Amino acid sequence: MNEITQLSDWTEANWTWSQAVTRRDFLATSAAAGSLVLMASASEGIQKAEVVEKLGEFQPDFFVGIAPDGTVTVLVHRSEMGTGIRTALPRVVADELEADWARVKIEQAPGDKRLGDQNTDGSNSIRFFFDRMRIAGATARTMLERAAAKKWDVDASECYAENHRVKHQGSNRSLGFGQLVEEAAKLEIPAKEELTFKPRDEWKYIGKSVPLTDLDEILTGKAVYGIDARMENQLYAVVARPSVVGGVVKSFDATKTKQKPGVVDVVEIPKFEGAPVFQPLGGIAVLADSTWNAIQGRDALEIEWDLGENTSYNSEAYAEQLKKTVNKPGTVVREEGDVSGPLEHATKLIKADYYSPHLAHASMEPTCAVADVKTDASGKVTSCHVVSATQNPQAVQQAVGPAMGIDPAEVLADVTLLGSAFGRKSKPDYCVEAAILSRKMKRPVHVTWTREDDVQHDYYHTTTAMHFEASLDKDGKPDAWLQRAAYPSIGSTFNADTKEPVGFEMEMGFKDLPFQLKNLRVESGEAIAHTRIGWLRSVCHIPQNFGVSCFADELAHAAGRDPLEYLLELLGEDRHLDLKKAGLGNRGASADDYPFDIGRLKNVTRRAAEMAGWAKKQNLPKGRGVGIACARSFLGYTGHVVEVEVSKDGTVTIPNVWVSLDSGTIVSPNRVRAQLEGAANMGATQALYGEITFTDGVADQSNYDGYQMTTLADAPRNIHMDVVESDAAPSGVGETGVPSLAPALCNAIYAATGTRIRELPISKHDLSWS
């Protein structure tokens, strides 16, 4: 127990913060203190002092408390949407604390900036908080050991925690955690330098699989999701929103609506000003005694809209415009050597354009929130409580607070379980809608988005055009590589003047090209957004890794080479990519902890190929083929091999997917495997069917009949997974598993049929053969 683990710079920077404010201080001062029993009852009122008492006598850290009966309570500040984070982070605390997992209780934290980042997004939860949770556990353990030493009048070095007790070396004395609470609460919180951390070979929970904490409640229907959240005397609301972003209500007639059973009122919600950010689209809300009655009332509304300038948005014409943009010079974002000469004088020049459409999040549970806003006689807001399926309760505070005219910290933002999210539920426009309506109605209001609302009013994944050029030398290797991308940026959601991809977007599989090339130029082009653009699982890696990896496969075939061998040659020597030279931000992570390690990328590529038996699958009969791709995304590494069968009528089936993942230290192996399986199915769905199109500014798709998902009939039949054992710093998993699936699938289709997929979705192509 005497090994000192090197902790991250993030931990160093935040240690003073966590020392200065203990968990007891947090609970006593937080506006959200009464929310910690949400999972039992969202509307149950509990006083702050009672909450502190419920959580125990000893709280040495924000994230952990111990009661006199020995119950350990861990505060979870990230959102649970199937990834298992509500289990994983407490397991890290419990491991370092030497707690008995059966005696650990988990409480969901409300939004509070003092807890650090709460945006459960970007595959950051374990990366950001692995060390922080270890500190929480080690702090509590150290204080319990010191408390026991004081009771026994021995040196603390003779005491050690084991399985929820503190024991004395050389004697049979031991005390349970609960027996030490009173004494431990009197001690000073130790400095980080005083802590010791368990060596890896003594970890009991980290790296071991365990069922989800909420599994029984989920399976028995007792778990509380956003759509289940209830407050006393609440109304139910749905909103008729403009079909085009930026549209406004010119006039409306609610006469028929108010005659519908159960309808209580009809309220207009103003639209956002300036860029959309996370404010409502605007429209007409119908409030009723049930969601069904609200929907019936909305259907009876008569609304005249001014849909605004974005009615000019038509996908087919816009796609052609993007393709023209990427076929002319753009803004250079990375340049090494000089591509002009080799491209101009090439004896063999390969050019290709790639395109991918908008995608919708389409999470199983649509967006939903319930709000209770109270005002005084003058109409000034005196309290605001929001309960929602959100990935980011601090964003809820930041969006709802200004809309209510109060400080964001005054918004009590509670978090339910999420029925999936993929990034949509980190954008809390729906929470603002609920708060606006509650303030107007002077009672709680639950806003539900229907599936049609969700698909037609999303923050869409962007649509992307890419252009590639490479000149090949006599050996078939590229001696110059040019690539250019244009797409409406996520930045446009926050700044309407944004016309090109912002830095982090280009670094997702494009500017961070890992190939070892003498001459390289990467450019971006302009694109104006005509709808709300947002991040979706894997973000710009989806189109950009598709284009890059498929073009690499094109070059392999043009050179008459095996695609695996060619890909490994493109990656070049085992090395760390020079992040500074390439101008890469590395997701804000230090190059020491998270180098761009080409050796690790090549390793997962080889491992996936070996699992698949790549060499034995190079002479398959027509209609069958395998494809390969790799990616470094969210600081983790994947290699994918996909096997396809394409029938003579063009029907695509996926018998096998092989994926190798290196995401450093793994906390929950079973959840990692589950996320890889989910990523394979999501990647296949997007590649095969994913497409949102617009006509006159209106999304053409509205439900799963038009925005198709894979089913048991066409999803990958077998998903073979390899998780590399590693003691490297933990990196992404949930998003990391997606990017290399689609290009591997498209490369396999080429191997099977000779048809190159350069535009998604695959379903638009005639793949029949004879």
Side-chain angles (χ1 to χ4, degrees), residues 33-50:
S35 70
L36 295 175
V37 290
L38 168 66
M39 304 311 287
S41 171
S43 60
E44 183 181 354
I46 293 183
Q47 298 301 311
K48 295 174 185 177
E50 293 177 322

PDB file of all heavy atoms in Angstrom, residues 33-50:
ATOM      1  N   ALA A  33     -29.195  20.835  -2.297  1.00  0.00           N
ATOM      2  CA  ALA A  33     -29.011  19.847  -1.239  1.00  0.00           C
ATOM      3  C   ALA A  33     -30.204  18.931  -1.068  1.00  0.00           C
ATOM      4  O   ALA A  33     -30.057  17.762  -0.756  1.00  0.00           O
ATOM      5  CB  ALA A  33     -28.724  20.561   0.088  1.00  0.00           C
ATOM      6  N   GLY A  34     -31.413  19.445  -1.303  1.00  0.00           N
ATOM      7  CA  GLY A  34     -32.595  18.608  -1.096  1.00  0.00           C
ATOM      8  C   GLY A  34     -32.879  17.650  -2.214  1.00  0.00           C
ATOM      9  O   GLY A  34     -33.882  16.967  -2.199  1.00  0.00           O
ATOM     10  N   SER A  35     -32.000  17.567  -3.206  1.00  0.00           N
ATOM     11  CA  SER A  35     -32.305  16.763  -4.390  1.00  0.00           C
ATOM     12  C   SER A  35     -31.738  15.371  -4.348  1.00  0.00           C
ATOM     13  O   SER A  35     -31.974  14.587  -5.240  1.00  0.00           O
ATOM     14  CB  SER A  35     -31.744  17.456  -5.627  1.00  0.00           C
ATOM     15  OG  SER A  35     -30.340  17.400  -5.606  1.00  0.00           O
ATOM     16  N   LEU A  36     -31.003  15.032  -3.310  1.00  0.00           N
ATOM     17  CA  LEU A  36     -30.234  13.804  -3.356  1.00  0.00           C
ATOM     18  C   LEU A  36     -31.068  12.550  -3.158  1.00  0.00           C
ATOM     19  O   LEU A  36     -30.538  11.456  -3.145  1.00  0.00           O
ATOM     20  CB  LEU A  36     -29.105  13.870  -2.317  1.00  0.00           C
ATOM     21  CG  LEU A  36     -28.078  14.969  -2.625  1.00  0.00           C
ATOM     22  CD1 LEU A  36     -27.068  15.066  -1.509  1.00  0.00           C
ATOM     23  CD2 LEU A  36     -27.389  14.690  -3.935  1.00  0.00           C
ATOM     24  N   VAL A  37     -32.371  12.697  -2.978  1.00  0.00           N
ATOM     25  CA  VAL A  37     -33.248  11.531  -2.904  1.00  0.00           C
ATOM     26  C   VAL A  37     -34.113  11.436  -4.157  1.00  0.00           C
ATOM     27  O   VAL A  37     -35.136  10.795  -4.170  1.00  0.00           O
ATOM     28  CB  VAL A  37     -34.159  11.595  -1.661  1.00  0.00           C
ATOM     29  CG1 VAL A  37     -33.352  11.399  -0.411  1.00  0.00           C
ATOM     30  CG2 VAL A  37     -34.915  12.907  -1.625  1.00  0.00           C
ATOM     31  N   LEU A  38     -33.666  12.062  -5.222  1.00  0.00           N
ATOM     32  CA  LEU A  38     -34.448  12.108  -6.454  1.00  0.00           C
ATOM     33  C   LEU A  38     -34.865  10.729  -6.946  1.00  0.00           C
ATOM     34  O   LEU A  38     -35.986  10.525  -7.373  1.00  0.00           O
ATOM     35  CB  LEU A  38     -33.638  12.809  -7.547  1.00  0.00           C
ATOM     36  CG  LEU A  38     -34.206  12.692  -8.961  1.00  0.00           C
ATOM     37  CD1 LEU A  38     -35.516  13.436  -9.039  1.00  0.00           C
ATOM     38  CD2 LEU A  38     -33.238  13.212  -9.981  1.00  0.00           C
ATOM     39  N   MET A  39     -33.952   9.776  -6.873  1.00  0.00           N
ATOM     40  CA  MET A  39     -34.267   8.483  -7.463  1.00  0.00           C
ATOM     41  C   MET A  39     -35.427   7.811  -6.733  1.00  0.00           C
ATOM     42  O   MET A  39     -36.080   6.940  -7.261  1.00  0.00           O
ATOM     43  CB  MET A  39     -33.033   7.579  -7.450  1.00  0.00           C
ATOM     44  CG  MET A  39     -31.819   8.196  -8.147  1.00  0.00           C
ATOM     45  SD  MET A  39     -32.179   8.873  -9.777  1.00  0.00           S
ATOM     46  CE  MET A  39     -32.391   7.367 -10.705  1.00  0.00           C
ATOM     47  N   ALA A  40     -35.695   8.221  -5.510  1.00  0.00           N
ATOM     48  CA  ALA A  40     -36.843   7.676  -4.798  1.00  0.00           C
ATOM     49  C   ALA A  40     -38.101   8.491  -5.098  1.00  0.00           C
ATOM     50  O   ALA A  40     -39.165   7.947  -5.340  1.00  0.00           O
ATOM     51  CB  ALA A  40     -36.580   7.679  -3.300  1.00  0.00           C
ATOM     52  N   SER A  41     -37.948   9.814  -5.086  1.00  0.00           N
ATOM     53  CA  SER A  41     -39.090  10.666  -5.349  1.00  0.00           C
ATOM     54  C   SER A  41     -38.627  12.044  -5.749  1.00  0.00           C
ATOM     55  O   SER A  41     -37.999  12.742  -4.952  1.00  0.00           O
ATOM     56  CB  SER A  41     -39.987  10.751  -4.113  1.00  0.00           C
ATOM     57  OG  SER A  41     -40.987  11.730  -4.299  1.00  0.00           O
ATOM     58  N   ALA A  42     -38.933  12.441  -6.949  1.00  0.00           N
ATOM     59  CA  ALA A  42     -38.441  13.729  -7.445  1.00  0.00           C
ATOM     60  C   ALA A  42     -39.043  14.900  -6.688  1.00  0.00           C
ATOM     61  O   ALA A  42     -38.477  15.980  -6.663  1.00  0.00           O
ATOM     62  CB  ALA A  42     -38.766  13.851  -8.934  1.00  0.00           C
ATOM     63  N   SER A  43     -40.208  14.714  -6.072  1.00  0.00           N
ATOM     64  CA  SER A  43     -40.882  15.846  -5.453  1.00  0.00           C
ATOM     65  C   SER A  43     -40.776  15.845  -3.931  1.00  0.00           C
ATOM     66  O   SER A  43     -41.285  16.734  -3.271  1.00  0.00           O
ATOM     67  CB  SER A  43     -42.358  15.846  -5.852  1.00  0.00           C
ATOM     68  OG  SER A  43     -42.980  14.666  -5.424  1.00  0.00           O
ATOM     69  N   GLU A  44     -40.121  14.846  -3.346  1.00  0.00           N
ATOM     70  CA  GLU A  44     -40.033  14.775  -1.897  1.00  0.00           C
ATOM     71  C   GLU A  44     -39.175  15.913  -1.357  1.00  0.00           C
ATOM     72  O   GLU A  44     -38.056  16.126  -1.792  1.00  0.00           O
ATOM     73  CB  GLU A  44     -39.414  13.434  -1.464  1.00  0.00           C
ATOM     74  CG  GLU A  44     -39.347  13.264   0.050  1.00  0.00           C
ATOM     75  CD  GLU A  44     -38.715  11.937   0.417  1.00  0.00           C
ATOM     76  OE1 GLU A  44     -38.454  11.145  -0.500  1.00  0.00           O
ATOM     77  OE2 GLU A  44     -38.492  11.705   1.598  1.00  0.00           O
ATOM     78  N   GLY A  45     -39.700  16.680  -0.420  1.00  0.00           N
ATOM     79  CA  GLY A  45     -38.952  17.812   0.122  1.00  0.00           C
ATOM     80  C   GLY A  45     -38.138  17.401   1.334  1.00  0.00           C
ATOM     81  O   GLY A  45     -38.668  16.829   2.285  1.00  0.00           O
ATOM     82  N   ILE A  46     -36.865  17.695   1.334  1.00  0.00           N
ATOM     83  CA  ILE A  46     -35.998  17.359   2.457  1.00  0.00           C
ATOM     84  C   ILE A  46     -35.143  18.562   2.780  1.00  0.00           C
ATOM     85  O   ILE A  46     -34.604  19.213   1.879  1.00  0.00           O
ATOM     86  CB  ILE A  46     -35.105  16.145   2.130  1.00  0.00           C
ATOM     87  CG1 ILE A  46     -35.980  14.895   1.975  1.00  0.00           C
ATOM     88  CG2 ILE A  46     -34.061  15.923   3.205  1.00  0.00           C
ATOM     89  CD1 ILE A  46     -35.201  13.651   1.737  1.00  0.00           C
ATOM     90  N   GLN A  47     -35.008  18.893   4.036  1.00  0.00           N
ATOM     91  CA  GLN A  47     -34.206  20.033   4.443  1.00  0.00           C
ATOM     92  C   GLN A  47     -32.728  19.709   4.330  1.00  0.00           C
ATOM     93  O   GLN A  47     -32.311  18.562   4.425  1.00  0.00           O
ATOM     94  CB  GLN A  47     -34.552  20.421   5.899  1.00  0.00           C
ATOM     95  CG  GLN A  47     -35.996  20.849   6.088  1.00  0.00           C
ATOM     96  CD  GLN A  47     -36.340  22.040   5.223  1.00  0.00           C
ATOM     97  OE1 GLN A  47     -35.615  23.018   5.204  1.00  0.00           O
ATOM     98  NE2 GLN A  47     -37.436  21.947   4.481  1.00  0.00           N
ATOM     99  N   LYS A  48     -31.915  20.735   4.153  1.00  0.00           N
ATOM    100  CA  LYS A  48     -30.481  20.553   3.959  1.00  0.00           C
ATOM    101  C   LYS A  48     -29.847  19.808   5.114  1.00  0.00           C
ATOM    102  O   LYS A  48     -29.059  18.896   4.936  1.00  0.00           O
ATOM    103  CB  LYS A  48     -29.818  21.906   3.755  1.00  0.00           C
ATOM    104  CG  LYS A  48     -30.245  22.620   2.485  1.00  0.00           C
ATOM    105  CD  LYS A  48     -29.662  24.007   2.414  1.00  0.00           C
ATOM    106  CE  LYS A  48     -30.201  24.744   1.190  1.00  0.00           C
ATOM    107  NZ  LYS A  48     -29.700  26.124   1.129  1.00  0.00           N
ATOM    108  N   ALA A  49     -30.188  20.192   6.336  1.00  0.00           N
ATOM    109  CA  ALA A  49     -29.592  19.538   7.501  1.00  0.00           C
ATOM    110  C   ALA A  49     -29.940  18.060   7.536  1.00  0.00           C
ATOM    111  O   ALA A  49     -29.129  17.224   7.917  1.00  0.00           O
ATOM    112  CB  ALA A  49     -30.066  20.223   8.780  1.00  0.00           C
ATOM    113  N   GLU A  50     -31.167  17.733   7.101  1.00  0.00           N
ATOM    114  CA  GLU A  50     -31.581  16.336   7.078  1.00  0.00           C
ATOM    115  C   GLU A  50     -30.784  15.549   6.047  1.00  0.00           C
ATOM    116  O   GLU A  50     -30.453  14.389   6.264  1.00  0.00           O
ATOM    117  CB  GLU A  50     -33.073  16.238   6.766  1.00  0.00           C
ATOM    118  CG  GLU A  50     -33.956  16.801   7.864  1.00  0.00           C
ATOM    119  CD  GLU A  50     -35.419  16.757   7.486  1.00  0.00           C
ATOM    120  OE1 GLU A  50     -35.733  17.000   6.300  1.00  0.00           O
ATOM    121  OE2 GLU A  50     -36.237  16.481   8.361  1.00  0.00           O
TER     122      GLU A  50
END
